[in-house]
Amino acid sequence: MIKDNYRHKGKRQQLVNIVKKKGITSQSVIEAIGKIPRHLFMDSSFEDHAYQDKAFPIAADQTISQPYTVAFQTEKLEVEKGDKVLEIGTGSGYQTAVLCELGAKVYSIERQRELYKKTKSFLNKIGYRPKHLSFGDGYKGMPNYAPFDKIVVTAGAPYVPKALLGQLAVGGRMVIPVGDESQTMTLFIRKSLHEFDKTEFGEFRFVPLLEDKN
Ligand code: SAH
């Protein structure tokens, strides 16, 4: 049974206020956070914590990202309706749902088979319809569906994968946390075939982007 009651809605409004206080201003991102039942994306034992601004464990030793982090990355992407967006690290599907709410055509890759399967059926069940979910290695991107208007990497990348920059459309934006222990949130904007603008933001902490699939 899928439940989203007034208590969840109330807590979600508090989460919206926290995310705003931390500096998120994009109206569409705020609306998505206010709308998506985050508690359903987590194990029921964490249900009471679902509207705290924190990361929590999901299956396969992975985490659902902190809502502020999801909002921050999404805001930097500047998603417009109809954009083709590639997400690396489907995980719980929460970020995928945010992108769907913004009207993006979402393509997402997950390297943990268990999560890939679970999240694929869950998203379908609650009515989110990404264009394509794939089980595979995000370092390689999705060459068959490239180019993408936006790319968001939701695991900590030790370096910037060349394949991903290559799959970005000219004018496109990629948001990627780069680093080992902690990660610097980095925005790349593709100016032309060979030119990228790079902007760095603050430090964040993600589970690592691992090579190959599991
Ligand atoms: N976007 C997710 C974040 C999950 S944490 C959410 O909103 O819940 C990061 C995810 O990236 C994990 O599920 C992890 O398994 C996945 N991941 C790590 N390395 C990967 C890779 N090389 N390719 C695809 N997914 C990867």
Side-chain angles (χ1 to χ4, degrees):
M1 245 297 264
I2 290 179
K3 283 188 310 187
D4 185 33
N5 62 29
Y6 71 92
R7 200 169 49 84
H8 297 121
K9 291 194 176 94
K11 286 192 179 174
R12 202 145 64 230
Q13 194 47 49
Q14 291 173 11
L15 176 62
V16 161
N17 293 336
I18 291 171
V19 163
K20 278 191 191 165
K21 245 194 210 135
K22 290 187 177 174
I24 301 302
T25 57
S26 159
Q27 198 50 40
S28 56
V29 172
I30 289 166
E31 276 169 23
I33 303 274
K35 186 164 169 196
I36 300 169
R38 186 174 188 250
H39 62 285
L40 300 176
F41 290 73
M42 302 168 49
D43 200 278
S44 57
S45 55
F46 291 107
E47 188 184 321
D48 283 349
H49 305 290
Y51 296 104
Q52 294 177 9
D53 188 26
K54 286 186 183 160
F56 282 100
I58 53 174
D61 281 334
Q62 301 304 317
T63 56
I64 176 169
S65 300
Q66 184 181 339
Y68 170 70
T69 304
V70 172
F72 189 90
Q73 289 193 278
T74 310
E75 185 162 271
K76 294 295 178 231
L77 281 179
E78 298 186 0
V79 176
E80 283 170 33
K81 249 200 190 98
D83 272 354
K84 257 175 85 179
V85 182
L86 173 64
E87 175 191 23
I88 308 299
T90 315
S92 68
Y94 183 74
Q95 169 79 74
T96 315
V98 170
L99 294 167
C100 288
E101 284 290 348
L102 297 182
K105 298 184 184 116
V106 188
Y107 298 75
S108 185
I109 312 178
E110 172 54 54
R111 74 174 283 283
Q112 297 280 357
R113 185 184 288 278
E114 180 190 352
L115 272 176
Y116 159 73
K117 282 197 191 151
K118 188 175 164 186
T119 300
K120 188 174 176 146
S121 83
F122 168 70
L123 284 173
N124 189 53
K125 202 164 77 184
I126 66 166
Y128 286 110
R129 303 270 185 273
K131 279 269 167 195
H132 188 68
L133 294 178
S134 112
F135 167 59
D137 180 5
Y139 276 92
K140 302 188 175 78
M142 272 194 210
N144 296 344
Y145 296 93
F148 297 96
D149 301 305
K150 312 284 156 70
I151 299 178
V152 60
V153 179
T154 71
Y159 60 89
V160 180
K162 282 248 160 57
L164 298 184
L165 287 173
Q167 289 172 30
L168 200 55
V170 172
R173 303 163 77 88
M174 171 159 90
V175 177
I176 177 170
V178 187
D180 294 312
E181 279 296 291
S182 88
Q183 293 84 30
T184 307
M185 195 62 79
T186 310
L187 166 68
F188 289 93
I189 302 176
R190 188 167 202 168
K191 291 296 183 186
S192 67
L193 198 54
H194 298 293
E195 277 172 296
F196 293 85
D197 266 3
K198 177 180 163 183
T199 314
E200 292 182 337
F201 301 95
E203 293 295 299
F204 289 79
R205 255 171 204 279
F206 287 80
V207 294
L209 186 68
L210 299 172
E211 306 259 0
D212 216 339
K213 50 192 179 184
N214 193 16

